[in-house]
Amino acid sequence: MSTLSGALNAAVSGLYAQSTAISTISTNIANVDTVSYKEADTSFSTLVTNNTSSSSYSGSGVTATVNQNIELQGIVENSTYSTHMAIDGEGFFVVSDESGDSVYYTRAGDFEENDEGYLVNDAGYYLMGYPVDESGEALSGTGSTASLEQINLDSITGNASATENVAIDANLPADAAIGDTFTTDIEVYDSLGTSALVELTWTKTAANEWTATYADPSYSSDTSSDIGDSTGSFTLNFDSDGNLTTTTPDPAVLDITGWTTGASDSSITFDFSNVTQFTDADSTTTVTLDSISKDGVQYGDLKSITVDDQGYVIASFENGTSYPVYQVPVATFSDPNELQMESGNAYSATYDAGDVTLNVSGEGSAGTVSGYSLEASTVDNADQLTRLIVAQQAYSSAAQVITATDDMFDALLSATR
């Protein structure tokens, strides 16, 4: 009887074990198109329920354990969304729930902007990153999840910047008479992005000597009224070969105060190093202006968002400027397979997984973040169907053992009657 009971128990454990295997296979097949899903497999081990020997064998069973290889790399595929991301190598994106109170880790980088401007993946997790300045430096420290915040694109407003540097490439006519004047219009921007014209007057004051003076700025679109006060004049001296020798004062700085636009005061440094003094080959007594280069830009709205391989979220604006606004870190663990699985293809930290380390993309053991990309599921559908056939056959065989054992019990009971 005990041997028959052992056979029955072993067969029942086989049914449970193969049911687990089929459930695992079913889950894998269901997630064949789930972004960054990691294929799970079922391992089996012998389960001994009673002491056995060669002369007394009461049977044993089997137990099933499900393992998910979280470290397994899926294929990185192209995406048409600039905010879709993938990690090529080790590591996870740091995400949170809507409240931001609970932190999780995921490789599912299908992040898109929701109605409130946050980057959220299909499972509803909010992408977190470090706020950075325009040079890419973190604004509030790094290395801790407490320094991260949910990335919000609505917080990125349009931008403008004031002109701070102007370089002039020009030739002043050496054959001009002392006292002759010439004018050049220079476009500059105030701190609010307003385009203004400043008229520069060149006056020949002596042989090989010129002065440059500036009029008050006016709107580029309407020069009829002044919108600020200019202060600054400069003396340029040339040698007998027509090359600039000195600029007084040096550096040459134009100050503009009292902007009627409400902008802050401007301080603009002029570079005259490419200004020469030669007689024009066409005997035209005029200032020949080759180029004026300057910094500063007009106001421009946010145009697009991209992600580079350092994990920087780059904001590009309609005025042609671009700069980073966030940096997405890559979180690594000493044993990521010990992370706790959560719904939505995410994981939570555990003691066995080790402490989390926040890395810059591509540095140390961390993988590289790429935009316009998604990591595919690691499930091989053909392999899963093959495993399904094997599990189905094993399940059917265990069921046959139960049927046979039941018949043997019936025969035994009949013999006692």
Side-chain angles (χ1 to χ4, degrees), residues 282-357:
D282 297 329
S283 299
T284 302
T285 305
T286 186
V287 172
T288 303
L289 183 65
D290 292 325
S291 66
I292 297 176
S293 59
K294 62 183 184 299
D295 56 13
V297 292
Q298 287 182 292
Y299 176 83
D301 285 321
L302 179 64
K303 181 180 179 181
S304 63
I305 292 290
T306 55
V307 180
D308 69 9
D309 59 7
Q310 290 185 293
Y312 284 115
V313 178
I314 308 293
S316 297
F317 300 88
E318 292 178 343
N319 55 22
T321 63
S322 62
Y323 53 81
V325 288
Y326 290 96
Q327 186 171 29
V328 178
V330 177
T332 58
F333 296 85
S334 57
D335 189 358
N337 285 322
E338 293 297 330
L339 292 170
Q340 175 66 44
M341 294 177 59
E342 305 287 347
S343 296
N345 210 10
Y347 310 93
S348 55
T350 65
Y351 175 83
D352 292 334
D355 293 332
V356 61
T357 301

Side-chain angles (χ1 to χ4, degrees), residues 192-205:
L192 300 177
T194 305
S195 174
L197 285 182
V198 174
E199 184 180 75
L200 183 156
T201 299
W202 308 93
T203 303
K204 188 168 184 178
T205 54

Side-chain angles (χ1 to χ4, degrees), residues 107-132:
R107 290 178 66 94
D110 48 346
F111 298 105
E112 296 179 22
E113 185 178 0
N114 69 5
D115 292 340
E116 297 175 327
Y118 292 98
L119 288 181
V120 183
N121 68 12
D122 281 351
Y125 290 106
Y126 287 64
L127 179 63
M128 303 189 76
Y130 299 116
V132 297

